[in-house]
């Protein structure tokens, strides 16, 4: 074992033994602390065994051990923080600290993923223990001790229901019991808690946590004044004046601790108005990619400190964009007005707002949290935005439609809730807006909502919906609006009844064929897939052919830049089922040669559809098409290759086409 490896192992053994010998917490976070110490004890047994045998460590395990050393070090600091820090502040930060334990346990499981236990010199019993730890760490879930939650609720209840400003406690006995349950039993316990809170206040002031400092001041007064009441008859050499905060906080009077900026600790605030990180009233609520809302300052500090998970759910953030939650902010401002609480509005320009909006990744989908809090937030937001659609100015309607468009990307729960809030009729009306951006946002929002099956029915039933969507498809103000209208039709026609209704509209299919000619590659694909869905209904096939789709689709086969060869082939194959379609396809002089090339170089799906088209043409005009296939030297080898190595459907169709060509060759009158 070389020097650096031995040093790594010694460090691991020393720090794991330190953590293993730490006293378990008797009050806040007891379960999380105990579980973490248990995990590290199991690792300590393995590490000591490796150290005693003086065996070499395989190079593949060095990285895992380095990660484990870092994780144990972080765990030690976290456990020490729970042990030496303020009990009351630990309760206030209950979710945040519990989530730190959860993330450390998950990271430990990830580190053990790559640790080659079979190559380490450890006994079978030790290996089984570490394997047990690995399995447990991979299955670990965020745990918040119900007893701690109950204590935290009691603490907040005391803060809310007692007049701290006027030093008036409704029930001193209840306060004393609450503080005793978290470990403050003697006057010395109170003194230590005061010292810890003062140290935490200095630490938070040094990192710019003004809201946190304000909350800690409230806690300082609670503990100080409670001590003066509970231990009034105890002669301990200190008077009430000494209970005030020390150092830089001495100039602040105790009754000033409950300032307007910290009323969230003393007023009865709805839980959804509190930031899950700071438990403070949110001044600038934003939504992260998990669907949860936080105060901008708190979540920004969390992300900037290197975290990439949602503090509340533990879910990994697929992006770090902070989207303003205007609905929640409006409700909070209304609450502040009613309760005479000042709200410090952030100074942000329209340009900054638009920049944040553009930074939001609209492709993020299906990541909204399903818990009740998140759904309530979505409901509040949706109802607020629908109200803006109904009564706002053009600029307000545009912003509201944009927010609904983004919100509808957050999963089926969001799509259902937005529809229940009544958004669909208003979005349908906005499709006729003369404002380019309003129209674009409205049609895209309807597209996103249509992903949820029940919303398809609601959109189809909305007055003027199909007419307006087709109008946008045909002559929308931007190409993106037209293409999203085509995508919306594709989504709606997943339901059979919609195929009939939309296919019967006199302009729907013509507008799709028009987009097939004029659109971007993405738009052409949306149009082709929508046409394919409509072609499933037999009566629509003739309409598609009469709209000129066949020649356009064949041109698409020769356009490599379009990138929709497979989609075009699928539509052409489906149009073989009607006489008009067969005739149009048969009239193409270039199609046979294109299909033969696609047999060689197309995708698996493209090859299947190419054979389908060739087989259909041979059955109708056997000798003419067969002769053109037989004179092409590439056709037979390509068919034989597919018959041997293609998919099941491709093999079956290739065999059928080869048999048909064989019969054609065996006829006496065949010129070949």
């Amino acid at each position: 074992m070389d020097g650096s490896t031995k040093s790594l192992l010694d460090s691991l053994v020393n720090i794991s033994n330190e953590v293993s010998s730490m006293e378990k917490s008797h009050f806040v976070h007891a379960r999380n602390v105990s579980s973490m110490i248990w995990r590290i004890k199991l690792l300590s047994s393995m590490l000591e065994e490796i150290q005693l045998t003086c065996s070499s460590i395989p190079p593949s395990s060095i990285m895992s051990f380095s990660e484990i050393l870092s994780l144990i070090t972080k765990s030690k600091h976290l456990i020490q923080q729970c042990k030496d820090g303020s009990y009351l502040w630990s309760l206030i930060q209950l979710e945040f600290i519990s989530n730190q334990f959860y993330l450390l346990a998950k990271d430990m499981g990830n580190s053990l993923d790559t640790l080659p236990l079979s190559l380490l010199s450890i006994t079978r019993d030790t290996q089984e223990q570490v394997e047990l730890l690995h399995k447990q760490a991979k299955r670990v879930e965020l745990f918040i001790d119900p007893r701690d939650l109950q204590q935290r609720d009691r603490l907040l209840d005391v803060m809310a229901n007692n007049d701290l400003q006027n030093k008036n406690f409704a029930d001193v006995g209840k306060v004393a019991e609450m503080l005793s349950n978290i470990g403050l039993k003697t006057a010395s316990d109170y003194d230590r808690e005061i010292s810890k809170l003062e140290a935490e206040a200095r630490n938070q002031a040094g990192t710019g946590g003004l809201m946190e400092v304000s909350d800690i001041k409230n806690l300082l007064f609670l503990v100080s004044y409670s001590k003066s009441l509970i231990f009034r008859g105890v002669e301990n050499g200190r008077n009430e004046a000494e209970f005030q905060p020390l150092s830089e906080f001495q100039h602040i009077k105790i009754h000033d601790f409950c300032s307007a900026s910290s009323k969230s600790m003393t007023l009865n605030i709805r839980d959804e108005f509190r930031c899950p990180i700071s438990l403070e009233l949110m001044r600038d609520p934003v939504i992260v990619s998990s669907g949860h809302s936080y105060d901008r300052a708190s979540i920004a500090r969390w992300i900037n400190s290197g975290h990439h998970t949602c503090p509340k759910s533990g879910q990994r953030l697929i992006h770090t964009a902070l989207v303003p939650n205007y609905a929640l902010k409006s409700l909070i401002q209304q609450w502040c007005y009613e309760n005479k609480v000042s709200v410090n509005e952030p100074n942000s320009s329209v340009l900054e707002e638009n920049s944040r909006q553009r930074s939001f990744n609209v492709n993020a989908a299906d990541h909204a949290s399903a818990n009740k809090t998140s759904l309530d937030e979505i409901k509040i937001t949706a109802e607020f935005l629908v109200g803006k659609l109904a009564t706002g100015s053009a600029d307000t309607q545009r912003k509201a439609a944009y927010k609904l468009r983004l919100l509808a990307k957050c999963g089926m729960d969001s799509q259902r809730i937005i529809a229940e809030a009544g958004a669909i009729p208003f979005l349908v009306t906005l499709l006729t807006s003369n404002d380019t951006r309003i129209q674009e946002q409205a049609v895209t929002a309807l597209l996103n909502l249509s992903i949820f099956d029940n919303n398809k029915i609601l959109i189809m039933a909305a007055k003027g919906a199909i007419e307006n969507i087709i109008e946008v498809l045909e002559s929308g103000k931007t190409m993106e609006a037209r293409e999203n209208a085509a995508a919306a039709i594709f989504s709606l026609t997943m339901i059979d009844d919609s195929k009939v209704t939309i296919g019967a509209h006199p302009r729907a299919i013509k507008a799709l064929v028009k987009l097939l000619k004029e659109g971007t590659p993405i738009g052409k694909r949306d149009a082709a897939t929508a046409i394919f869905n409509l072609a499933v209904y037999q009566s629509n096939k003739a309409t598609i052919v009469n709209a000129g789709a066949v020649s356009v689709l064949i041109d698409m086969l020769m356009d490599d830049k379009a990138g929709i060869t497979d989609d075009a082939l699928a539509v052409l194959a489906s149009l073989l089922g009607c006489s008009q379609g067969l005739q149009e396809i048969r009239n193409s002089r270039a199609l046979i040669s294109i299909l033969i090339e696609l047999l060689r170089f197309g995708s698996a799906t493209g090859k299947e559809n190419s054979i389908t088209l060739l087989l259909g043409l041979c059955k109708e005009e056997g000798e003419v098409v067969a002769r053109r296939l037989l004179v092409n030297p590439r056709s037979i080898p390509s068919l034989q290759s597919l018959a041997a190595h293609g998919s099941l459907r491709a093999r079956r169709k290739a065999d059928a086409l080869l048999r048909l060509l064989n019969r054609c060759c065996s006829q006496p009158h065949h010129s070949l």
Side-chain angles (χ1 to χ4, degrees):
M1 186 184 301
D2 60 42
S4 60
T5 304
K6 185 177 185 302
S7 175
L8 172 63
L9 186 59
D10 290 344
S11 299
L12 279 165
V13 171
N14 291 336
I15 195 168
S16 61
N17 285 336
E18 285 181 35
V19 176
S20 299
S21 61
M22 293 176 77
E23 294 181 6
K24 297 178 181 177
S25 173
H26 297 294
F27 302 106
V28 186
H29 302 292
R31 284 277 300 276
N32 278 322
V33 169
S34 178
S35 297
M36 186 58 70
I37 291 176
W38 171 79
R39 295 185 187 101
I40 293 172
K41 276 184 176 178
L42 289 182
L43 289 174
S44 178
S45 300
M46 175 189 69
L47 296 167
E48 287 180 344
E49 195 170 314
I50 296 172
Q51 188 183 49
L52 287 172
T53 58
C54 296
S55 58
S56 61
I57 299 177
S60 58
S61 64
I62 299 296
M63 182 62 72
S64 296
F65 279 133
S66 298
E67 292 174 356
I68 290 170
L69 175 61
S70 174
L71 292 171
I72 295 177
T73 303
K74 292 178 182 177
S75 300
K76 176 188 173 184
H77 292 324
L78 184 57
I79 294 170
Q80 199 71 44
Q81 176 187 334
C82 294
K83 180 184 174 184
D84 298 339
S86 162
Y87 293 150
L88 293 176
W89 188 240
S90 291
L91 278 179
I92 294 298
Q93 290 202 307
L94 184 59
E95 285 88 353
F96 179 78
I97 295 175
S98 297
N99 191 59
Q100 287 183 300
F101 277 108
Y102 164 74
L103 294 175
L104 284 170
K106 291 291 287 184
D107 289 342
M108 193 172 290
N110 294 335
S111 296
L112 292 173
D113 282 342
T114 56
L115 185 65
L117 292 176
S118 59
L119 301 180
L120 300 176
S121 298
I122 55 177
T123 62
R124 181 61 186 167
D125 287 345
T126 302
Q127 183 174 336
E128 289 177 353
Q129 285 183 335
V130 178
E131 288 172 348
L132 173 65
L133 168 62
H134 185 204
K135 291 178 181 177
Q136 191 270 349
K138 297 298 286 185
R139 295 196 306 266
V140 71
E141 295 180 354
L142 177 65
F143 175 77
I144 301 175
D145 196 321
R147 292 173 297 180
D148 291 346
L149 274 173
Q150 187 178 32
Q151 294 294 347
R152 201 268 303 279
D153 291 342
R154 288 177 181 173
L155 172 61
L156 295 177
D157 184 60
V158 166
M159 299 295 291
N161 295 321
N162 290 281
D163 187 359
L164 300 180
Q165 290 182 342
N166 297 315
K167 300 184 181 181
N168 180 24
F169 282 1
D171 189 343
V172 177
K174 183 178 179 181
V175 175
E177 180 186 4
M178 182 273 296
L179 294 174
S180 175
N181 288 338
I182 61 172
L184 305 186
K185 301 180 184 295
T186 67
S188 297
D189 292 333
Y190 278 75
D191 289 339
R192 281 192 292 270
E193 181 67 14
I194 290 169
S195 297
K196 291 173 181 177
L197 284 169
E198 288 170 350
E200 188 63 46
R202 287 190 291 271
N203 178 58
Q204 292 292 339
T207 57
L210 298 180
M211 302 297 289
E212 288 81 355
V213 170
S214 181
D215 291 343
I216 294 170
K217 290 174 185 176
N218 283 315
L219 295 174
L220 265 168
F221 172 73
L222 173 67
V223 179
S224 299
Y225 188 54
S226 297
K227 180 186 175 185
S228 70
L229 295 176
I230 295 167
F231 298 99
R232 183 175 298 169
V234 178
E235 290 296 324
N236 54 16
R238 293 182 68 176
N239 56 43
E240 183 179 333
E242 290 178 284
F243 294 142
Q244 296 184 22
L246 304 179
S247 63
E248 65 264 37
F249 302 114
Q250 281 187 338
H251 66 282
I252 304 174
K253 296 179 181 179
I254 285 178
H255 67 264
D256 288 334
F257 283 177
C258 297
S259 62
S261 65
S262 62
K263 283 190 177 181
S264 63
M265 292 292 290
T266 58
L267 291 171
N268 187 20
I269 305 173
R270 290 166 57 179
D271 288 341
E272 56 265 32
F273 290 173
R274 294 183 185 272
C275 174
I277 296 176
S278 67
L279 300 180
E280 267 291 346
L281 180 69
M282 287 187 276
R283 260 57 180 187
D284 186 11
V286 295
I287 303 173
V288 297
S289 67
S290 66
H292 291 291
S293 289
Y294 298 92
D295 191 66
R296 182 182 294 277
S298 297
I299 192 63
R301 280 197 301 273
W302 169 262
I303 293 172
N304 291 338
S305 63
H307 298 91
H308 300 288
T309 55
C310 172
K312 192 168 185 178
S313 67
Q315 179 182 346
R316 186 165 185 82
L317 299 176
I318 63 174
H319 61 76
T320 55
L322 304 180
V323 181
N325 191 336
Y326 293 116
L328 186 56
K329 186 173 184 178
S330 177
L331 292 172
I332 291 172
Q333 289 174 342
Q334 179 65 29
W335 181 90
C336 289
Y337 175 78
E338 293 171 356
N339 290 276
K340 297 181 173 59
V341 176
S342 64
V343 178
N344 296 321
E345 295 287 352
N347 294 322
S348 59
S349 67
V350 175
L351 180 62
E352 291 169 337
E353 176 192 335
N354 289 340
S355 176
R356 287 196 300 271
Q357 289 175 347
R358 286 194 296 270
S359 69
F360 186 81
N361 182 355
V362 297
N363 291 321
D366 297 327
H367 54 267
S369 174
N371 63 46
K372 184 178 184 301
T373 302
S374 178
L375 296 182
D376 287 344
E377 290 173 359
I378 294 171
K379 183 177 180 182
I380 292 170
T381 304
E383 290 174 348
F384 173 81
L385 293 174
V386 170
K388 295 300 182 184
L389 286 183
T391 61
S393 64
D395 188 56
T396 300
Q397 288 177 326
R398 176 185 59 79
K399 291 179 179 178
Y402 174 78
K403 293 300 176 184
L404 286 171
R405 164 188 176 175
L406 297 183
L407 190 59
K409 293 285 286 184
C410 292
M412 292 188 178
D413 284 325
S414 298
Q415 294 152 10
R416 172 181 56 80
I417 291 170
I418 292 170
E420 290 173 354
I424 289 173
F426 294 110
L427 290 171
V428 167
T429 301
L430 291 180
L431 293 177
T432 60
S433 171
N434 291 323
D435 187 296
T436 300
R437 290 177 295 173
I438 289 178
Q439 184 186 76
E440 187 176 301
Q441 303 301 346
V443 73
T444 309
L446 286 170
L447 164 61
N448 295 343
L449 289 174
S450 70
I451 295 170
F452 185 55
D453 281 347
N454 193 59
N455 286 352
K456 292 179 173 66
I457 298 171
L458 295 176
I459 292 171
M460 292 296 298
K463 184 178 180 180
I466 299 305
E467 180 68 31
N468 290 354
I469 291 173
I470 292 171
E471 181 67 31
V472 175
L473 170 65
E474 191 174 42
S475 55
K477 299 185 182 301
T478 66
M479 184 57 70
E480 183 177 347
R482 293 178 60 194
E483 292 174 350
N484 286 341
I489 289 176
F490 164 70
S491 179
L492 294 172
T493 52
M494 299 296 288
I495 296 178
D496 288 341
D497 289 345
S498 301
K499 294 180 177 68
V500 179
T501 304
I502 295 175
H505 192 285
R507 302 197 324 273
I509 291 174
K510 288 182 180 179
L512 287 170
V513 174
K514 182 182 178 184
L515 183 62
L516 201 59
K517 298 176 184 177
E518 301 172 353
T520 67
I522 293 175
K524 290 178 179 179
R525 180 175 289 108
D526 289 334
T529 50
I531 292 171
F532 178 80
N533 268 5
L534 290 168
V536 171
Y537 184 61
Q538 187 66 28
S539 297
N540 289 336
K541 291 180 179 179
T543 308
I544 294 170
V545 174
N546 293 334
V550 171
S551 61
V552 178
L553 290 166
I554 292 173
D555 289 341
M556 294 295 101
L557 299 181
M558 296 184 286
D559 186 358
D560 293 334
K561 294 181 180 179
I564 62 165
T565 301
D566 289 351
D567 300 298
L569 282 170
V571 178
L572 288 170
S574 70
L575 295 179
L576 282 175
C578 78
S579 57
Q580 297 98 317
L582 177 61
Q583 184 61 43
E584 284 287 325
I585 293 170
R586 197 164 48 194
N587 290 340
S588 172
R589 300 294 300 172
L591 182 60
I592 303 297
S593 299
I594 296 171
L595 295 177
I596 292 172
E597 289 302 306
L598 291 173
L599 288 178
R600 301 175 63 210
F601 303 114
S603 66
T605 303
K607 290 176 181 178
E608 284 186 18
N609 284 323
S610 296
I611 296 176
T612 300
L613 282 163
L614 289 170
L615 193 57
L617 290 170
C618 281
K619 287 179 178 178
E620 294 299 324
E621 282 193 352
E623 188 171 340
V624 175
V625 177
R627 186 177 293 121
R628 294 180 63 186
L629 284 172
L630 290 170
V631 298
N632 190 313
R634 300 186 184 94
S635 59
I636 300 301
S638 299
L639 289 170
Q640 290 173 334
S641 175
L642 281 174
H645 306 296
S647 65
L648 180 61
R649 288 183 60 193
R651 292 200 304 269
R652 188 171 64 248
K653 292 183 178 181
D655 282 337
L657 186 52
L658 284 169
R659 286 197 302 272
L660 194 151
L661 293 175
N662 188 50
R663 287 200 301 271
C664 186
C665 287
S666 63
Q667 291 176 4
H669 65 273
H670 196 285
S671 60
L672 295 179

